[in-house]
């Protein structure tokens, strides 16, 4: 939605926030999964190593069992039977420990993967700033950062280790079989080759069918979620019974279609079963035949042990393959989440300070002491190259301590002026200066420190009322906080609250009225005490009585500060100062 | 309103009872799964005994077992092929049948939950912006997806394996009772004790996990919604640190659970190893357990195969714990009592539709302050009335009372002179069309969204409504017209355009009273003005109740009421 400025003088161009190009969708998702798997493998290495170790231990145990059983069959018990039993027990203990540790390491890998992705995502969100909210709903983004990333656990904790073990495990078993019983090794090798081959034959089928099943299921879930969210709309329209019936029908239809697809998908699992049973039967019959042929000479205990060993190896050979097939589900979940993650824009490059001191902003203290002078010089800005610019050649100058009122109809670019001053967007041409320094040369932290902003209603964070005001300056003293509460007219509100400043507000807390919330915003501005005050229709959603109260507070706040006020109603009349009217632009067809 | 129940496993039982219509299919799936498990046991032991039998037969120095060995020699190759084939076919059938049963059960559960929520007070919850709560419930239903497939079926197969293992041991002559007892004990320990411990851990961890994930969600939502504030106040680092600390709390809870799960898995595994150790000791003739070698070998192979389904049970146990708490929440939400139940013998609808509130006292809950205290106001039929009041003054409660989503504690609400409590809710609501800030546009076509209000409306009527709502031109301009898909994946209509679609839906209804509850919440002021101007031109013959916190001065109104201190005062008229 925001195009890169054509005349790019700024070190930090506005990010491209177009909501994902669909053409690159599937390939990008696959690439993303591949990258994540690679990164995940590094973290999952301990888990993979432990799992491989447990396969090796299982092989050793199988040998113990085979030797012991062959011994029993031979009827002559070797003297070291106890050693073999002890070895079996010890190996079992070790294997159990290895499996337990592997599971814990895999879970840790899952957490590490999620922590990394969430960190990147949150960092990206914070770096993009509010511009991001133009293209994405906040609820959607939150679901992405919490639930979607949680859903990726399976990718890092199960899929990545399972994918590695599906190669290493059977390979290890195969080598063991080769040493003991070449025929069995051959059978296992053929079965092992058949597995991926059969997967490919049945369909590419299988993978695609599973994907479709997953998509169908998530669609049903989405439909259900949608209807639940709108349940009151349905109830009030008197259509609850109809909608319940429709949900049932949609689910039945989905079931029929999904099962048709699953019939094919399950063939690939059946192929895995077939390979295992065939290997088992083939080895048993072959060795049996060998034993009867050699009927004249009784089988040596070693030969019998080798045959039993080979039989026992079959299930060890297929176990990692089955785990792999199970983990495929986790990969499906991951690619669903990945589609949305890939669509998100990358965080913009860090702001680079220009070389040399000539454009360096004056130190913050100096700015505060002298106030801020704001100037626009021939500023031009458009949200998109396809539409006419919102601001075209805007120039003005506001000396420190004075007020500028920006008026004009909706869409004329009033709020754009504020966004430019907040540094959220950059003009395509022209200059914006604060005390003579170009705005893009000021470090964002420094710009943030010299500006206060009050919009139509503040965001109240989950926490106490006091925390919410302190948000402006966490290090503020109690006395400063009290002064801000007094100056913003919040003192009465605080007195009326059950727990005063400690009353929780925001999500899940005590609800504040629009006027009270606006007072919190004013208290924040008092506490922050910044020399430049930007007011963006601060009373737009208030009833007239409350509006008058708020305006009085704002007038007090404005004293000795440079103020830029955007608004159209009473607010404009409450402030005296220079006024510019922005010309209306062609309005969008319907609001 | 919906909280964690403390009843443990009872909710899972309720869910299983709910699935009664699916029981035959579920039972069939279980039977097939058991048969597949049995066939698996047969293949495994067949392979082992075949080989062993051959050895014994060929060596011929264990005469006491000659007959058994001969039987094995003759029977097993054919039996192995047969059971092997059966195993493959049965596994395939098992997957199909159990999945089919799962799909049916899921659909049943969702429809049941939806109907329950729609009937109960939770319909009012949606009205009160509890969308998040409803989303969480939907997540709970998703958790229950695995109840049959991942819990009932594996547990059933494990149980069968146990029975077969013990039966095999008992059936083989000369197996000492001590051995049977030891193996049975170990098996039970692995298949029951481990999973139950894991389930306990899951049940206890459930609320903690829910809490920590909710805390993370709040932090992340604060970061996203507050991006502007965060930038303005330079709070990036602080907010990020907070989100990370919430994430760490969640991860700590998860790590605790996975450590306990791994320990339960280890316990089950060691039990299995101990069973094998017993059998091996028996095979080599350790005195208390000693059995004939051929039988020992058969048992070793059966034990290996029988123990396979058990190894997954601790994980299933943890899931069971989580499912139990999910089921508790779902059942509680779906069985909330109706806030305003229909009268036993409803009065038929009166001809008039003047709306009046008479000395109404109302509070949402006994421990909350009263919303109305002696509220009286009249809205004559066909008039355009505004009800003004700051947020928190109970404007939306007014609509809830008129629509009987809630019942007043004192006083009367009347429609056409008849108390609304004497009417059937469906009849009453047929007189109202409601457009509120929580009015939902569904992920569906525009036409389907409009027809929600009147299913039988033809296309011309849809266009008329769109025309009146001032949005017909925009819809005409969309490539798919009325069939354009709305919602997250749909056409990106602006907030104002969406509100107009919702208005068209309201206008499509033939209800004589329109209740517009903050219809412009979230819109910018110019969009709001344009919307209200459109509103002036429609619904001339109907009652319009506009509930809002302030007037822009463009509204055409007959009367204005102001809500102050739980009462209404006539402001102008």
């Amino acid at each position: 939605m925001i195009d890169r400025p054509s005349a790019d003088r700024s070190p930090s161009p506005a990010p491209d926030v177009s909501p994902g190009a669909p053409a690159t969708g599937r390939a990008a998702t696959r690439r993303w999964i591949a990258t994540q798997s690679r990164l995940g493998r590094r973290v999952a290495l301990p888990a993979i190593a432990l799992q491989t170790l447990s396969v090796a231990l299982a092989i050793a145990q199988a040998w113990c069992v085979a030797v012991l059983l062959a011994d029993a069959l031979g009827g002559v018990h070797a003297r070291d039977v106890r050693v073999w039993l002890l070895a079996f027990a010890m190996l079992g203990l070790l294997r159990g420990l290895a499996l337990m540790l592997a599971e814990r390491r895999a879970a840790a890998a899952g957490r590490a993967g999620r922590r990394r992705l969430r960190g990147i995502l949150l960092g990206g969100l914070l770096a993009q700033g509010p511009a991001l909210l133009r293209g994405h709903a906040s609820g959607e983004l939150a679901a992405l950062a919490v639930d979607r990333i949680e859903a990726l656990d399976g990718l890092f904790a199960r899929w990545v280790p399972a994918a590695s073990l599906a190669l290493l495990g059977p390979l290890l078993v195969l080598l063991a079989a080769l040493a003991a019983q070449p025929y069995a090794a051959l059978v296992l090798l053929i079965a092992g080759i058949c597995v991926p081959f059969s997967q490919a034959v049945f369909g590419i089928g299988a993978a695609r069918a599973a994907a479709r099943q997953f998509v169908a299921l998530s669609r049903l879930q989405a439909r259900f979620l949608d209807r639940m969210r709108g349940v009151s709309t349905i109830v009030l329209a008197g259509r609850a019974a109809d909608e319940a019936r429709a949900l049932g029908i949609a689910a039945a239809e989905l079931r029929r279609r999904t099962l048709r697809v699953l019939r094919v998908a399950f063939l690939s699992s059946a192929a895995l079963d077939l390979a295992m049973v065939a290997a088992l039967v083939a080895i048993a019959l072959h060795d049996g035949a060998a034993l009867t042929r050699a009927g004249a000479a009784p089988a040596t205990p070693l030969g019998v042990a080798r045959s039993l060993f080979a039989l026992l190896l079959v299930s060890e050979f297929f176990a990692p393959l089955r785990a792999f097939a199970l983990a495929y589900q986790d990969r499906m979940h991951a690619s669903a989440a990945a589609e949305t993650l890939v669509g998100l824009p990358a965080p913009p490059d860090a702001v680079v300070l220009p070389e040399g001191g000539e454009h360096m902003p004056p130190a913050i203290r100096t700015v505060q002491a002298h106030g801020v002078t704001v100037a626009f010089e021939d500023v031009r800005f458009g949200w998109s190259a396809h539409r006419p610019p919102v601001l075209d050649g805007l120039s003005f100058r506001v000396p420190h301590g004075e007020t500028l009122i920006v008026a004009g109809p909706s869409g004329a670019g009033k709020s754009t002026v504020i966004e430019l001053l907040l540094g959220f967007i950059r003009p395509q041409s022209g200059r914006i200066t604060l005390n003579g320094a170009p705005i893009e040369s000021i470090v964002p932290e420094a710009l943030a420190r010299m500006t206060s902003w009050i919009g139509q209603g503040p965001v109240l964070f989950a926490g106490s009322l006091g925390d919410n005001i302190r948000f402006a300056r966490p290090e503020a003293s109690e006395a400063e906080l009290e002064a801000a509460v007094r100056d913003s007219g919040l003192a009465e509100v605080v007195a009326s609250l059950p727990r005063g400043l400690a009353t929780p507000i925001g999500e899940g807390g005590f609800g504040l009225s629009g006027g009270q919330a606006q007072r919190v915003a004013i208290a924040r501005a008092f506490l922050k005490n910044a020399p430049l005050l930007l007011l963006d229709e601060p009373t737009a959603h208030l009833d007239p009585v409350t509006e008058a109260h708020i305006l009085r507070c704002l007038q007090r706040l404005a004293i000795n500060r440079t103020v830029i006020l955007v608004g159209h109603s009473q607010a404009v009349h409450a402030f005296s100062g220079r006024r510019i009217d922005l010309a209306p632009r062609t309005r969008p067809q319907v609001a | 309103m919906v909280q964690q129940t403390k009843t443990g496993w009872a909710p899972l039982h309720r869910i299983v009872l709910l699935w009664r219509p699916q029981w035959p299919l579920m039972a069939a799936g279980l039977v097939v799964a058991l048969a597949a498990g049995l066939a698996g046991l047969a293949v495994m032991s067949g392979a082992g005994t075949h080989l062993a039998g051959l050895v014994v037969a060929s060596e011929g120095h264990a005469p006491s077992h000659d007959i058994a060995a001969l039987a094995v020699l003759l029977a097993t190759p054919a039996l192995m092929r047969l059971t092997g084939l059966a195993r493959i076919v049965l596994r395939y059938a098992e997957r199909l049948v159990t999945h089919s049963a799962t799909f049916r059960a899921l659909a049943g559960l969702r429809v049941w939950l939806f109907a329950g929520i729609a009937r109960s007070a939770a319909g009012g919850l949606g009205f009160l912006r509890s969308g998040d709560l409803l989303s969480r419930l939907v997540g709970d239903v998703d958790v229950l997806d695995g109840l049959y497939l991942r819990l009932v079926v594996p547990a059933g197969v494990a149980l069968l394996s146990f029975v077969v293992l013990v039966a095999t041991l008992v059936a083989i002559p000369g197996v000492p009772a001590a051995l049977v007892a030891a193996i049975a004990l170990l098996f039970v320990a692995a298949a029951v004790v481990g999973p139950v411990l894991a389930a306990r851990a899951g049940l206890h961890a459930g609320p903690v996990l829910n809490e920590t994930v909710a805390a993370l969600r709040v932090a992340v939502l604060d970061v996203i919604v507050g991006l502007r504030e965060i930038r303005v106040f330079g709070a990036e680092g602080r907010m990020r640190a907070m989100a990370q600390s919430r994430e760490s709390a969640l991860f700590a809870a998860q790590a605790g659970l996975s450590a306990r799960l791994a320990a339960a898995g280890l316990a089950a595994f060691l039990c299995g190893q101990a069973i094998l150790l017993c059998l091996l000791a028996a095979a080599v003739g350790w005195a208390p357990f000693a059995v004939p070698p051929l039988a020992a070998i058969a048992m070793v192979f059966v034990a290996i195969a029988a123990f396979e389904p058990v190894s997954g049970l601790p994980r299933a146990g943890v899931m069971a714990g989580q499912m139990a708490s999910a089921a508790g929440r779902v059942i509680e939400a779906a069985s909330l009592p109706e806030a305003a139940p229909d009268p036993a013998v409803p009065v038929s609808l009166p001809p008039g539709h003047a709306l009046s509130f008479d000395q109404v006292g109302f509070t949402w809950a006994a421990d909350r302050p009263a919303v109305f205290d002696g509220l009286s106001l009249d809205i004559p039929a066909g008039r355009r009335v505004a009800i003004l009041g700051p947020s928190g003054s109970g404007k939306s409660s007014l609509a809830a009372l008129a629509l009987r989503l809630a019942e007043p504690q004192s006083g009367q609400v009347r429609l056409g002179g008849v108390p609304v409590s004497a009417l059937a809710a469906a009849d009453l609501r047929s007189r109202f069309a409601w457009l509120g800030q929580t009015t939902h546009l569904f992920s569906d076509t525009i036409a389907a969204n409009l027809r929600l209000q009147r299913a039988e409306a033809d296309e011309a009527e849809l266009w008329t409504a769109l025309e009146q709502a001032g949005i017909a031109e925009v819809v005409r301009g969309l490539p798919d017209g009325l069939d354009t898909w709305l919602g997250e994946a749909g056409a990106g209509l602006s907030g104002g355009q969406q509100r107009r679609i919702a208005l068209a839906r309201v206008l499509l209804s033939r209800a004589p009273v329109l209740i517009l509850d903050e219809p412009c919440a979230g819109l910018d002021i110019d969009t709001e003005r344009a919307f209200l101007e459109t509103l002036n031109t429609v619904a001339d013959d109907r009652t319009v109740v506009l509930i809002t916190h302030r007037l822009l001065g463009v509204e055409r109104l007959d009367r204005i009421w102001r809500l102050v201190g739980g009462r209404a005062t006539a402001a102008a008229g």
Side-chain angles (χ1 to χ4, degrees), chain A residues 224-566:
Chain A
F224 181 58
L225 177 61
D226 185 49
R227 292 328 191 246
M228 285 282 279
R229 279 185 178 151
V231 68
S232 60
T233 305
I234 291 169
V235 168
L236 293 176
R239 296 293 297 279
D242 292 340
E243 204 43 60
R245 207 172 312 122
L247 269 176
I249 292 170
E253 171 61 22
L254 172 88
R255 187 189 70 236
R256 268 191 293 278
R257 257 186 308 141
T258 310
L259 282 178
R260 217 174 300 146
V261 171
L262 285 181
R263 260 174 239 151
V264 181
F266 288 155
L267 280 181
S268 75
S269 324
L272 200 61
D273 286 339
L274 178 67
M276 178 167 164
V277 170
L280 203 61
V281 173
I283 293 174
L285 291 186
H286 169 269
D287 285 11
L291 281 172
T292 26
R293 254 202 315 281
T300 60
L302 188 63
V304 175
R306 282 183 169 164
S307 296
L308 285 169
F309 180 57
L311 270 189
L312 289 167
L313 285 186
V314 174
S315 61
E316 293 305 329
F317 182 82
F318 283 95
L321 293 175
R322 249 181 306 173
F324 176 74
L326 267 180
Y328 198 77
Q329 206 179 331
D330 291 305
R331 195 188 174 282
M332 302 304 313
H333 275 99
S335 47
E339 264 163 44
T340 29
L341 278 170
V342 169
L344 270 189
D349 313 323
V351 174
V352 185
L353 277 177
E355 295 294 317
E358 50 176 336
H359 285 306
M360 286 297 281
I364 300 305
R365 262 192 210 94
T366 332
V367 173
Q368 194 137 349
H370 300 298
V372 175
T373 298
V374 178
F376 271 48
E377 294 167 31
D378 202 25
V379 167
R380 189 186 141 96
F381 178 84
W383 289 105
S384 154
H386 314 294
R387 284 188 285 165
V390 187
L391 301 177
D392 199 359
L394 179 67
S395 298
F396 61 76
R397 187 164 175 281
V398 195
H400 64 82
E402 291 192 17
T403 298
L404 175 78
I405 296 154
V406 182
S410 175
K414 301 190 301 288
S415 294
T416 309
V417 172
I418 301 281
E419 303 257 300
L420 285 166
L421 280 169
L422 286 171
F424 295 164
I425 47 177
R426 302 275 191 229
Q428 271 109 36
S429 67
R431 262 161 63 94
I432 301 173
T433 59
L434 301 180
N435 285 351
I439 193 166
E440 65 272 12
S441 69
I442 304 174
V443 217
E445 289 75 27
L447 185 64
R449 251 182 290 173
M450 65 172 91
T451 325
S452 276
W453 162 85
I454 296 174
Q456 298 185 0
V459 170
L460 298 176
F461 298 99
S464 72
L465 176 59
D467 290 341
N468 263 286
I469 299 172
R470 242 179 228 285
F471 179 79
R473 196 150 59 87
E475 71 280 9
S477 69
E478 278 304 310
E480 287 171 319
L481 184 66
E482 263 167 45
V485 166
R486 202 174 46 243
D487 292 340
S488 59
L490 264 178
E492 271 174 50
V493 181
V494 171
S496 75
L497 287 175
R499 288 168 57 197
L501 277 174
T503 308
I505 57 171
E507 168 87 22
F510 196 89
L512 294 185
S513 73
Q516 290 167 342
Q518 213 51 331
R519 286 182 195 281
V520 173
I522 295 171
R524 281 178 183 164
F526 269 117
L527 196 62
K528 189 174 178 185
N529 199 20
L532 175 60
L533 179 59
L534 306 175
L535 302 174
D536 190 357
E537 308 216 25
T539 58
H541 287 305
L542 300 177
D543 59 272
V545 183
T546 314
E547 180 173 20
H549 282 290
I550 294 294
L551 283 173
R552 271 200 296 283
C553 278
L554 285 174
Q555 284 163 338
R556 204 158 49 231
L557 176 64
I559 295 166
N560 282 334
R561 291 176 220 273
T562 311
V563 179
I564 294 181
L565 167 72
V566 154

Side-chain angles (χ1 to χ4, degrees), chain B residues 428-439:
Chain B
L428 170 71
R429 287 171 197 160
S430 71
R431 288 294 178 86
F432 291 101
W434 168 78
L435 168 60
Q437 42 188 324
T438 59
T439 293

Side-chain angles (χ1 to χ4, degrees), chain B residues 41 159-172 180 183-184 187 275 279 298-304 306-307:
Chain B
L41 291 181
L159 186 70
L160 177 88
S161 306
F162 175 65
V163 172
V164 170
L165 183 65
V166 174
T168 317
L169 291 176
V170 174
I172 296 173
V180 180
I183 287 177
F187 199 96
I275 289 176
L279 287 172
M299 287 188 304
V300 166
F301 277 83
V302 170
I304 290 176
F307 210 76

Side-chain angles (χ1 to χ4, degrees), chain B residues 379-385 539-545 557-559:
Chain B
I379 301 171
R383 294 296 174 79
R384 308 175 77 92
V385 175
D540 261 343
D541 48 341
R542 306 196 221 192
T543 308
V544 175
V545 183
L557 296 167
D558 298 321
R559 195 158 200 193

